[in-house]
Structure formats: C-alpha cells, structure tokens
Amino acid sequence: MLKAHRINWAVTIVMVILGGIVVGSPEQGGVDVGEKDSSQAETPVLKELTIRIVQDNYRCSDAMETAWGFAAYVTGPEQRILFDTGSNGALLLRNMTRLNIEPDAVETIFLSHVHADHTGGLVAFLQQHADVDLYCLKSFPARFKEVARGYGVRLLEVEQPRQMCRDMFTTGSMGRKVCEQALVLHTEVGLVVVTGCAHPGLVKMVERVKALHEQDIALVMGGFHLGWAKPGEIERVIQALDRLGVRYVAPTHCSGDRARKLFGQRFGSRYIEVGVGKVITLADLKRVD
Ligand SMILES: [Zn+2]
Ligand SMILES: [Zn+2]
C-alpha cells in the first residue's frame, strides 16, 4: 500500500476526530478538503492520461506559438488540470484554441512556482474562466493570492506533500531560494511527474516522489533547469534518474539544448522530445523490460 495512502487514512481519522480540518483559514480563502481526502478507499491508478503542452519555448508543431515559459493541460485524472500558465495569457489561450481546449474545461490550476514564465498567463486565463481550484504554494506573495481570489478561484495553499484528488498529488513545497512543487500522477504504467523548472533540484524532487509513493516512475517531464549546467553535472543527473528507475524522460523549457541532447543519447528510445503542441499519452510510456 502507498505511503501516501497510509498518510491519507491517518489524516482522515484525525479529521473525523477533530470534526474536519480546514486547509488555510477562511480569511485566507482556504477550503475544507476533508471530503476529497476521505474518499480514498482504494489505490487510484489512471488507465488514461493525456498531457498536452500548451506553452513552451521549444516547439513540436508548426501550428503553435512559442515563448519562454511552460504550461501543460492534463486530462485523465479526476480533475482536468492546467499545470502552470506560461508567461503570456493571450498566447496561452491561442495555443489552447489550436489544440481544441476550452478554458471552461479546466477544473484545477496547479502552479509549480511563482516565476512569471509559469504564472504570467494566469490573469488572462482567469478573465476567461475562474471557476477552478487553484493550487499555489503557501509562500506565494500575499498580493498574488489576493488577485487570484479576486477572480473567485478556490485557492488552496500547499506546504506539505498531499493528495489533491483521487489520482493527483503534490510533492509539497521544496527548496529555499525558489520554492517549488511538482505534480505527481498515479497511472497504470507507473508514476508521472511533471516539473515546472525544478529549481530545488530535479534529483531531489524525484527522490521525494520515490520516498512518498514507493512506485516505479514511468515519466519525468517538464523543466529540468539544466540550461546552464556543465556536461558533468548533466551526466550526474542522468545517472541519478537512472538509479531511481525513471523509465522515460521529457526535458523541455529550461532544460537546455545540451541536456536535451545528452538525455537523448543516454535514454535512447526512452527519451521523448517535447515542446509546445506535443501530446503524450500512456501509450507512449509502455514498460520496457
Ligand atoms: Zn521557468
Ligand atoms: Zn522558474
């Protein structure tokens, strides 16, 4: 059984005893998540998952516009997720239209960290659609949270690792200089981990995922923050991911050309080239024994 689920049951029991715990005070716009967490009787495993990259500085389709930043649309989990919002809301919305994604379809926005190339598209998006759960870190500036609440979002402030809905988890806040959380999804082929920039260190983030979930890691994708790293450092990251049993990698955004090339060489057929317009499904993550 998953550690996370053991934690969840423990949390659920405590919640029943205390009569419900509220995440964040009502003044902070926190909401009671007892109902969500207490519904986790079985280990959830997604049989379907689709990740569409809607903003990236790398391109996978000529029809899409690029800009520095990252955003991805994730379907298959209990809630449809917009992971980060890129740097430019107008561009984000145009790219979403090109991929036939209606803003109204988004149920959850997950913000990995506060940097503008991941949150810059938020306001333009909320002007279109704000009936969402918004997961940000507790350490985000008060003004940022105030603006988001002003649009009517249900703001959920993350500090510790936690389950967000049936098959969707956060690593919790990591790092000191730049705090960041990664998204973790449970699928039938293993865990899928999505990072924004991996500022706390990609290896540390993946190690935390492994420690919390004790499952095979099918894919790590997103910004690996190796754009300025020397080849030796990139090699060390590659070896560490290999040791952790990561099956597929899809580095993009701030990963850098050199790291993408080295990951491609080392992971071979287990390297997935991504950029804006790329669509990844579980069929791309078959077990390779
Ligand atoms: Zn970034
Ligand atoms: Zn960043």
Side-chain angles (χ1 to χ4, degrees):
M1 200 180 180
L2 287 170
K3 248 187 203 172
H5 283 272
R6 285 201 295 269
I7 293 166
N8 262 323
W9 277 111
V11 168
T12 304
I13 291 161
V14 171
M15 281 169 138
V16 169
I17 293 167
L18 297 180
I21 289 171
V22 171
V23 175
S25 68
E27 302 80 59
Q28 289 173 322
V31 298
D32 191 341
V33 294
E35 215 174 285
K36 274 182 194 170
D37 279 3
S38 62
S39 65
Q40 312 308 314
E42 299 293 328
T43 301
V45 176
L46 289 173
K47 291 188 167 36
E48 279 180 34
L49 176 72
T50 305
I51 303 175
R52 297 169 173 87
I53 300 186
V54 288
Q55 190 188 324
D56 199 343
N57 33 288
Y58 288 102
R59 190 199 307 267
C60 260
S61 156
D62 288 341
M64 308 295 289
E65 288 174 75
T66 56
W68 182 260
F70 186 70
Y73 180 59
V74 182
T75 56
E78 193 177 12
Q79 294 174 11
R80 292 180 291 269
I81 311 157
L82 181 62
F83 176 99
D84 287 345
T85 61
S87 57
N88 179 321
L91 181 148
L92 174 81
L93 292 167
R94 285 197 297 275
N95 278 346
M96 286 177 77
T97 303
R98 291 177 179 116
L99 290 169
N100 295 318
I101 303 164
E102 293 284 341
D104 288 3
V106 173
E107 294 166 292
T108 295
I109 298 177
F110 180 96
L111 297 176
S112 63
H113 65 300
V114 76
H115 284 168
D117 56 328
H118 297 257
T119 58
L122 180 67
V123 164
F125 183 89
L126 294 181
Q127 283 166 354
Q128 299 291 315
H129 174 60
D131 182 15
V132 293
D133 290 345
L134 176 77
Y135 287 89
C136 71
L137 298 176
K138 202 174 175 195
S139 56
F140 273 34
R143 176 72 189 138
F144 185 102
K145 296 175 199 169
E146 196 185 309
V147 168
R149 281 194 200 99
Y151 282 96
V153 305
R154 295 174 293 281
L155 195 82
L156 294 127
E157 299 180 42
V158 173
E159 181 78 350
Q160 298 302 319
R162 57 169 289 192
Q163 188 164 19
M164 295 179 290
C165 72
R166 201 175 55 215
D167 16 50
M168 186 171 101
F169 298 77
T170 164
T171 56
S173 184
M174 295 183 69
R176 285 201 196 98
K177 262 207 224 149
V178 181
C179 297
E180 184 168 339
Q181 58 177 339
L183 177 69
V184 184
L185 303 156
H186 283 220
T187 82
E188 63 176 5
V189 298
L191 302 171
V192 169
V193 182
V194 188
T195 59
C197 270
H199 289 289
L202 184 68
V203 175
K204 278 192 186 145
M205 296 181 94
V206 176
E207 280 172 347
R208 181 180 277 196
V209 170
K210 193 83 187 170
L212 285 168
H213 299 271
E214 294 176 338
Q215 286 199 17
D216 287 352
I217 299 174
L219 170 70
V220 179
M221 70 166 292
F224 287 9
H225 208 59
L226 295 168
W228 301 268
K230 297 204 167 74
E233 192 187 335
I234 298 168
E235 289 290 356
R236 279 193 292 280
V237 172
I238 289 172
Q239 281 166 21
L241 292 192
D242 209 37
R243 265 200 312 278
L244 287 162
V246 173
R247 227 162 40 242
Y248 288 87
V249 288
T252 189
H253 177 43
C254 55
S255 302
D257 294 342
R258 180 189 273 158
R260 277 164 59 105
K261 195 170 160 209
L262 286 172
F263 269 98
Q265 286 168 0
R266 300 290 181 269
F267 276 77
S269 61
R270 297 181 296 125
Y271 169 83
I272 303 173
E273 183 150 329
V274 292
V276 65
K278 178 71 180 179
V279 180
I280 296 180
T281 70
L282 292 189
D284 300 309
L285 310 177
K286 291 284 172 235
R287 291 183 190 279
V288 277
D289 298 319

